[in-house]
Amino acid sequence: MKNSINLISDDALVKQYIERGKGLFNDGKIEKAFRNFNKAIFINNKCSEAYFVKAQAHIKIYEVDDAENCMKNYLKLVPDDPKAYWKLIDIHDLTGDFDKCIYYCEKLLENDDKNAMVHLKKGEFLAILNDFKKALDCFDSCLKLSPDFYDALCGKASVLLSLHNKDDALKMYIRAIEVDTTRSVAYFGASEVYMVMENTTNALNFAEKAYEIEPKNQWYKCHYNVLKNMYLGIK
């Protein structure tokens, strides 16, 4: 009976340290927050929540090595938890280690190969590494699962343009616009394709639409102004 009471008391104390640490972290008291997380782990080094919360805190202050170590400790206690793999993807995305991002995407797909978002993210990381053919396969897998996935349509279009398939790239961007007329990415992408096609008029029209949707985007503003000056020069 005494042991049972101690266990309950320890669990309550661990929870208290975790919650106190979260509050301190939110108040900007970083060192005190981590002291509380560490106390929770010292009392119960099998408490998965303590490692997960501590990892999240490390991520927020860009301490990626410490975050990765905490998340790996968490995975020892909760094997193959998708939340942990997503956090590891976030960690390596911050550091630019996209090969590891792809590795953890593959770990997620081992347990859930019908997850369109994972296929999308893997495709995006492969595209960053200029592995366009494999990226295209990922976007195709994503679109088989979710045919109207805007980000996947735009991702596939961008990869097709990189593979010098401008006609199909344009079709993908137009399809994305049909799916959602309120987002700017496909308009901007279509403008880039029309530039490659040397169709300045259409490139300008789509650039203008992207800029209208997202007027604070400095890259859109620059792109639009360059095209506008080109168009006026042609006229």
Side-chain angles (χ1 to χ4, degrees), residues 38-58:
N38 290 336
K39 286 177 182 177
I41 292 168
F42 179 78
I43 293 168
N44 181 5
N45 63 5
K46 301 296 183 185
C47 178
S48 59
E49 183 187 1
Y51 289 110
F52 193 88
V53 170
K54 187 181 177 187
Q56 286 183 302
H58 281 303

Side-chain angles (χ1 to χ4, degrees), residues 175-228:
R175 187 174 157 198
I177 291 168
E178 291 169 353
V179 168
D180 190 344
T181 59
T182 67
R183 295 181 64 182
S184 62
V185 175
Y187 288 107
F188 182 78
S191 176
E192 289 186 309
V193 177
Y194 276 122
M195 280 187 69
V196 173
M197 291 177 166
E198 299 182 355
N199 186 331
T200 306
T201 302
N202 283 345
L204 176 61
N205 290 336
F206 280 92
E208 182 177 17
K209 185 63 179 177
Y211 182 42
E212 284 175 1
I213 294 170
E214 206 174 325
K216 292 183 179 179
N217 187 310
Q218 292 301 308
W219 179 240
Y220 287 2
K221 179 180 179 181
C222 177
H223 180 72
Y224 170 63
N225 285 329
V226 167
L227 283 169
K228 185 168 66 173

Side-chain angles (χ1 to χ4, degrees), residues 133-176:
K133 290 184 179 178
K134 286 184 180 178
L136 187 60
D137 289 340
C138 290
F139 291 128
D140 282 336
S141 296
C142 179
L143 290 167
K144 283 178 184 176
L145 295 165
S146 183
D148 292 332
F149 197 157
Y150 182 92
D151 292 335
L153 291 167
C154 291
K156 181 175 180 178
S158 177
V159 165
L160 286 167
L161 185 59
S162 296
L163 292 170
H164 309 294
N165 190 343
K166 52 184 181 290
D167 292 327
D168 285 342
L170 183 60
K171 288 176 185 175
M172 285 294 107
Y173 279 129
I174 297 302
R175 187 174 157 198

Side-chain angles (χ1 to χ4, degrees), residues 11-45:
D11 286 344
L13 192 56
V14 166
K15 187 69 176 176
Q16 183 180 352
Y17 279 128
I18 291 171
E19 292 305 315
R20 186 185 297 164
K22 287 159 72 173
L24 288 164
F25 188 88
N26 290 335
D27 291 339
K29 298 173 181 177
I30 307 302
E31 289 185 15
K32 288 183 178 179
F34 280 108
R35 279 203 293 271
N36 278 268
F37 297 144
N38 290 336
K39 286 177 182 177
I41 292 168
F42 179 78
I43 293 168
N44 181 5
N45 63 5

